[in-house]
Amino acid sequence: MTRRMTDASLRFNERRRREDEAPRLHERLPALATLRLEVEERRSGSVSTETKHVRLVVVDSAPALFVLPCGDSSCRDGGHDLTDGVLRSLAAGKTRFELEDGCLGNVGSSTCGRVLRVVGLATYH
Ligand SMILES: [Zn+2]
């Protein structure tokens, strides 16, 4: 238990450090005005969406980093790093883009495999 909590806090610190060190979104993409991400998550092999939420990115202060946690609380070392895909789409000036990412974490002794689908809606100055 102690060991797991240590792992979790290490990961939390690591994430905080990456967020602090990452360039700001508005520095990387000065033309970006607003960004809205519609996030859907589903279990591997399932077609129905289990969770869906909308994330409004505060463009002026947000880090240029898009790392979303895995929605399965029993998943270890999972999560989704969509930074490259999001930044590439925004740099290309897209007003709508879709990204999908499978979780590489572990649930028990098997691979998690949950699929995250993100629809991004952006406006530019
Ligand atoms: Zn996972």
Side-chain angles (χ1 to χ4, degrees):
M1 191 64 197
T2 311
R3 167 82 219 223
R4 287 197 63 158
M5 284 177 69
T6 306
D7 285 353
S9 60
L10 276 176
R11 277 202 296 275
F12 178 78
N13 288 341
E14 170 68 13
R15 191 170 354 143
R16 279 294 299 272
R17 194 177 62 75
R18 286 187 62 192
E19 285 184 359
D20 288 346
E21 288 179 358
R24 300 295 101 178
L25 200 49
H26 70 97
E27 288 167 6
R28 288 287 299 270
L29 300 154
L32 183 66
T34 65
L35 176 60
R36 173 190 158 102
L37 299 177
E38 293 174 3
V39 181
E40 292 178 11
E41 195 172 324
R42 64 178 194 271
R43 213 177 280 279
S44 167
S46 164
V47 288
S48 61
T49 300
E50 284 184 15
T51 59
K52 181 170 181 172
H53 67 274
V54 174
R55 199 177 254 245
L56 286 172
V57 177
V58 184
V59 172
D60 286 339
S61 60
L65 192 68
F66 298 90
V67 180
L68 302 174
C70 178
D72 189 333
S73 56
S74 56
C75 175
R76 297 201 61 191
D77 302 322
H80 307 274
D81 188 346
L82 301 165
T83 304
D84 286 348
V86 172
L87 293 183
R88 209 176 305 131
S89 301
L90 295 175
K94 291 185 179 172
T95 53
R96 187 181 188 284
F97 56 90
E98 293 185 25
L99 300 165
E100 254 191 21
D101 186 58
C103 181
L104 299 174
N106 297 303
V107 175
S109 56
S110 56
T111 305
C112 172
R114 282 174 82 95
V115 177
L116 189 83
R117 182 168 171 271
V118 172
V119 176
L121 299 166
T123 62
Y124 302 87
H125 293 300

